[in-house]
Amino acid sequence: MPEDRPPYPPFTRETALQKVQAAEDAWNTRDPERVASAYTPDSVWRNRDAFISGRDEIVAFLTRKWERELGYALRKSLWGFRENRMAVRFQYEWHDADGQWWRSYGNELWEFDEHGLMRRREASINDIAITEADRRIHGPRPKNEHGIDIPLQ
């Protein structure tokens, strides 16, 4: 029996925004199992220079990621959508084991199956060093800030 993860495609602006916020909320838990459950069992990813296939590899990848990227906090913003696909901008901040803070900027392309599970994710990401004083993302987004776009810089 297939798993379901509403909302389902084809997306409207409202349901696309819901899907983006749900993804942001899940990633901000830093729980690899929870995040992986939103993807099809055979989902394929390109993340920077890594190619990942299936939930087990997603869990392993995210486990390694959040062991390195400490204090991770993310914001996502809908860029566009059509039928079962979305383009999303994101930024997240984290620090490494030496205490250096980073802001990571990126774009993702998403494709969903008919059950609302993501079957394909392609992410391009760039990192810039920032000072702790330059941080602007301090934990998960409060509900009163849902839907607010993220700044370019």
Side-chain angles (χ1 to χ4, degrees), residues 7-121:
Y8 310 106
F11 298 109
T12 64
R13 178 160 178 73
E14 179 183 349
T15 59
L17 288 168
Q18 289 171 4
K19 201 63 137 173
V20 171
Q21 189 61 56
E24 177 184 306
D25 293 346
W27 280 69
N28 275 324
T29 68
R30 291 177 261 168
D31 178 343
E33 295 284 342
R34 178 176 172 188
V35 172
S37 71
Y39 298 86
T40 62
D42 60 348
S43 183
V44 293
W45 285 19
R46 182 190 54 78
N47 195 91
R48 299 177 193 255
D49 61 350
F51 293 87
I52 301 153
S53 182
R55 283 186 182 161
D56 290 343
E57 287 186 23
I58 291 170
V59 168
F61 172 83
L62 293 174
T63 299
R64 290 187 307 273
K65 171 185 179 66
W66 289 320
E67 287 172 350
R68 269 188 336 273
E69 296 179 358
L70 307 172
Y72 175 98
L74 166 75
R75 298 292 184 271
K76 290 184 181 280
S77 180
L78 178 66
W79 186 257
F81 68 96
R82 184 184 60 187
E83 298 173 11
N84 70 330
R85 294 181 177 173
M86 289 187 205
V88 175
R89 303 172 48 235
F90 64 87
Q91 294 175 26
Y92 62 90
E93 294 176 352
W94 56 281
H95 66 87
D96 60 27
D98 295 327
Q100 172 63 57
W101 281 94
W102 299 88
R103 184 174 302 127
S104 300
Y105 295 89
N107 301 295
E108 293 175 306
L109 301 175
W110 295 349
E111 182 180 74
F112 295 87
D113 73 4
E114 65 277 11
H115 301 284
L117 295 169
M118 196 182 303
R119 66 177 161 215
R120 183 177 179 140
R121 174 183 174 268

